[in-house]
Amino acid sequence: METSEILKGKYPARAHAAKVASYLQSKNPASASATIYLEGQKTRLLEDNDEPQPFRQRRNFYYLSGCALPDCHLTYHIPTSRLTLFIPPIDPEAVIWSGLPLSPADALSKFDVDSVLPSTSLPAHLASLSQPNGSALLAVATQVSSSTLSLNLAAFQATDLTSLHPAIDTCRVIKDPYEIASVRHANHVTTAAHLAVLRALKRVSNERELEAVFIERCLALGCKEQAYHGIFGAGTNAATLHYVDNDRDLKGKWNVLVDAAAQWGCYCADVTRTLPLSGTFNKESRGIYEAVLRMQKESLLMIKGGVMWEDVHARAHEVALEELLKLGILTGGDKEDFIESGVSVAFFPHGLGHYLGMDTHDTGGNPNYEDKDPEFRYLRVRGRLPAGCIVTVEPGIYFCRFIIEPYLKDPQQVKYINKAVLEKYWDVGGVRIEDDILVTSDGYENLTTTPKEIDEVEKIINGS
């Protein structure tokens, strides 16, 4: 089914609730008689101001409701598989300012739930679910208001505030067709925005202008929210992994790294491209770009359900070493010497990618930031990739003085680095290429269609 047709349907909240309930019961059979309770994000005012803060729905709540409205609640009664959404009642004082809110009837038509009630009926509803056997209630410890905890949950025989959060995190890893369609559409809009940046590249003079071009396209195509704060880093700014200033002049810089993406229906894309500001990569930039592109392509060849993510990451490092040796930046040994030394981390210091979904760095990756091996410490995903997950594949090579200079002072590392050749590459800044990959049982599907081959990128920039 086409993406547009899938997205015409309702977000599959009841299927998600049933999936979470099944997972909970697999860990604890007693959960079969329990009730899931979640609170959505509340309206919060800016400090010393009567304007609301920008609203972002709690992702766990959205996963079980598809509802992005503030001040809502939900229950899922596992024994009857009944999902109930609670929305704020009409406040007559607010209608003059904000208009009529969604009615319960409209909400029932819009969301995939069994019933919709005003939030004023929540206490009585919770009390009814706790009887007659005083069944258990499952909630998230940090996402239950104190009033609800003290007044409404006391009637339950037990309150489990620890099991639900990891259960939802785990269930979110494998995506259903609606979620895949959402990420695919976010990528479609993101590609249009990246193309607009490519076409604007030679007529702008500051990073912020590129950010403006990107955001305009996303808004115009219906994506009001960005998946994350975009990175528009020119020159050496591209060596900062999460550069956020986006306000420096482009004059005199070789390249610009654009890591930016749209959000659609609470689902994110995450795409990075590195572009030559002159319209043509110079020798040093082209050499690094080709190296990173090969790192990505070699990684993608390994992707399929069940692959060990650490093995894919390690292969990306091997390719980086081969390419840096070919360029003459590394010297004085062979690939095995370089692998043992860990020198590749100086140039590729982050993990190869992360799960993607409602969060840019999505849940369920089980990272181990205490890993003693710096090559694997910042991997946001550990273990085998299941079919049905979406993962980013985003290798990079960077020339960050703060990171590389300690290696130049270490006698065991500096012997592998040709300082004279390295000196030619500082102004490359950093090159990263990132796509969003749907893992299948026998391979993968690349959801990102943004151009990345050198010839195509240069042709678009130059208007040919």
Side-chain angles (χ1 to χ4, degrees), residues 133-149:
N133 300 318
S135 62
L137 188 133
L138 305 170
V140 177
T142 58
Q143 298 179 4
V144 181
S145 60
S146 57
S147 59
T148 301
L149 192 60

Side-chain angles (χ1 to χ4, degrees), residues 127-406:
S128 71
L129 293 179
S130 69
Q131 302 301 323
N133 300 318
S135 62
L137 188 133
L138 305 170
V140 177
T142 58
Q143 298 179 4
V144 181
S145 60
S146 57
S147 59
T148 301
L149 192 60
S150 59
L151 297 178
N152 300 326
L153 307 189
F156 287 85
Q157 184 180 51
T159 302
D160 181 346
L161 300 179
T162 60
S163 299
L164 181 58
H165 201 310
I168 298 175
D169 281 356
T170 300
C171 290
R172 282 171 54 181
V173 171
I174 296 177
K175 306 299 192 285
D176 59 40
Y178 194 99
E179 294 178 286
I180 294 167
S182 296
V183 176
R184 192 190 305 277
H185 186 72
N187 264 276
H188 174 75
V189 173
T190 296
T191 289
H194 273 275
L195 284 169
V197 168
L198 281 163
R199 294 177 180 126
L201 200 61
K202 294 180 74 173
R203 59 176 172 80
V204 300
S205 60
N206 192 282
E207 294 167 347
R208 62 175 169 264
E209 295 176 79
L210 296 176
E211 184 175 22
V213 167
F214 190 94
I215 293 174
E216 184 278 333
R217 275 295 82 199
C218 293
L219 284 169
L221 294 172
C223 290
K224 297 179 69 174
E225 304 293 337
Q226 295 291 286
Y228 48 91
H229 189 292
I231 299 166
F232 296 80
T236 57
N237 297 330
T240 300
L241 299 183
H242 287 170
Y243 172 75
V244 296
D245 290 345
N246 298 344
D247 62 0
R248 307 298 168 83
D249 288 338
L250 304 178
K251 186 177 181 180
K253 310 293 196 308
W254 291 356
N255 311 304
V256 60
L257 186 150
V258 178
D259 184 342
Q263 175 185 298
W264 172 264
C266 289
Y267 281 80
C268 302
D270 188 0
V271 176
T272 307
R273 294 294 184 262
T274 307
L275 314 172
L277 286 165
S278 70
T280 305
F281 286 108
N282 65 14
K283 177 183 176 182
E284 289 77 15
S285 299
R286 187 183 184 98
I288 298 301
Y289 192 97
E290 290 175 338
V292 174
L293 188 58
R294 185 186 160 216
M295 289 166 68
Q296 191 195 52
K297 289 180 177 180
E298 293 273 346
S299 298
L300 290 173
L301 288 173
M302 299 177 67
I303 299 290
K304 65 178 180 179
V307 69
M308 283 292 294
W309 186 239
E310 290 89 342
D311 292 343
V312 186
H313 177 76
R315 178 57 185 152
H317 269 272
E318 289 180 3
V319 175
L321 289 170
E322 293 167 3
E323 293 294 322
L324 291 170
L325 181 61
K326 187 190 305 180
L327 293 170
I329 296 171
L330 296 184
T331 188
D334 57 27
K335 188 172 71 172
E336 294 306 315
D337 294 326
F338 300 144
I339 291 173
E340 186 176 348
S341 74
V343 70
S344 61
V345 178
F347 302 94
F348 178 26
H350 60 78
L352 182 61
H354 49 80
Y355 285 143
L356 182 70
M358 284 189 286
D359 289 308
T360 305
H361 298 152
D362 213 27
T363 60
N366 302 311
N368 176 20
Y369 298 130
E370 303 303 315
D371 196 320
K372 301 300 184 184
D373 188 337
E375 181 177 323
F376 296 97
R377 183 177 302 147
Y378 297 114
L379 274 180
R380 297 181 187 272
V381 176
R382 303 301 293 257
R384 299 190 182 279
L385 298 183
C389 74
I390 298 175
V391 66
T392 66
V393 178
E394 50 178 302
I397 291 176
Y398 310 87
F399 297 90
C400 176
R401 290 185 183 274
F402 183 83
I403 294 175
I404 294 174
E405 284 180 349

Side-chain angles (χ1 to χ4, degrees), residues 67 69 71-73 85-89 102-104 107 116-120:
C67 175
L69 300 174
D71 306 312
C72 295
H73 311 253
L85 176 66
F86 298 84
I87 63 175
L102 200 67
S103 70
V116 179
L117 299 171
S119 54
T120 50

